[in-house]
Amino acid sequence: MSSTQSKLTLPNLLTGFRFVAAPVLLWLAWYDHPIAFMGLLAITFATDLLDGVIARLTGQVSQFGAALDSWADVITYLTVALSCWWLWPDVVSRELLYVGLIIASCLLPALVGIFKFGRFTSYHTWGAKIAAATMGLTLYMLFLGGPTWPFRVAAVMCVVAAIEEIMITWLLPEPESNLRSVWDVLKRSVRNDRKR
């Protein structure tokens, strides 16, 4: 099997869908189609949840897939932020601090990883997964007229997940992907110190 064929796996195709969806989401937002935007965004979020699960179930976890997923996450978050600004400027202006926290929580761990390792980190911790799922759900609540506090809590959860990823980058001597939590990295570090 060629390297190109080995990269064309179902999990990677699901991740790749987010790259294709990004300009369509921007187009829908620019031309004021909020219902279609929210529908496509739901599909985009679903592919983000499914790609990793399918990769693990089928044994197709790869460094390439993890890096692709990290790039797709950044593009998706930036696309959503800009699109929501176009579609719901009043809501975004009111929640600008929390929107900024979410964007920063996406960008800062990536920048720290690039600074230390020369590339994106692809940890996909449980904290980051929970924060992303919570943010996705509360985003719908926010823009469909629900209460704002769940979105604000989700923004704080994104910040906590980002801090965890930055700590992992600080602790690791070389890049790794698909880590569960900073605690796993710390436990492994303690075990390695005891063996020396």
Side-chain angles (χ1 to χ4, degrees):
M1 183 182 286
S2 73
S3 65
T4 302
Q5 287 175 321
S6 67
K7 291 177 182 174
L8 291 176
T9 62
L10 178 58
N12 290 349
L13 291 172
L14 286 170
T15 303
F17 174 81
R18 285 184 277 155
F19 290 93
V20 175
V24 179
L25 287 167
L26 289 168
W27 186 89
L28 290 169
W30 183 255
Y31 288 101
D32 197 26
H33 298 287
I35 302 301
F37 172 83
M38 292 301 250
L40 181 56
L41 184 60
I43 296 168
T44 302
F45 283 155
T47 62
D48 189 20
L49 292 173
L50 291 173
D51 59 3
V53 171
I54 292 172
R56 285 185 290 279
L57 289 175
T58 60
Q60 295 177 322
V61 175
S62 68
Q63 185 66 41
F64 174 79
L68 187 70
D69 188 55
S70 294
W71 277 102
D73 286 344
V74 170
I75 287 169
T76 299
Y77 280 154
L78 294 177
T79 297
V80 168
L82 185 56
S83 296
C84 290
W85 178 267
W86 290 338
L87 285 167
W88 300 282
D90 294 341
V91 176
V92 173
S93 292
R94 188 185 70 222
E95 300 301 317
L96 196 56
L97 170 64
Y98 298 96
V99 171
L101 288 174
I102 291 169
I103 293 170
S105 73
C106 181
L107 294 177
L108 287 177
L111 292 173
V112 171
I114 289 169
F115 179 75
K116 181 169 182 181
F117 299 127
R119 66 179 179 88
F120 264 158
T121 57
S122 304
Y123 302 137
H124 305 113
T125 63
W126 281 107
K129 290 175 186 176
I130 292 167
T134 306
M135 188 274 301
L137 290 172
T138 60
L139 192 68
Y140 280 83
M141 291 174 65
L142 179 68
F143 293 120
L144 294 175
T148 58
W149 69 265
F151 177 75
R152 294 174 180 181
V153 170
V156 172
M157 290 173 71
C158 288
V159 170
V160 171
I163 291 168
E164 179 183 41
E165 290 199 354
I166 290 169
M167 288 173 65
I168 290 171
T169 299
W170 180 69
L171 290 168
L172 290 176
E174 58 189 43
E176 292 182 43
S177 49
N178 300 317
L179 301 168
R180 289 187 296 185
S181 72
V182 69
W183 303 118
D184 287 340
V185 175
L186 286 169
K187 284 190 290 188
R188 188 177 60 193
S189 178
V190 168
R191 279 196 306 269
N192 290 341
D193 286 346
R194 286 179 182 164
K195 289 178 183 176
R196 290 180 189 152

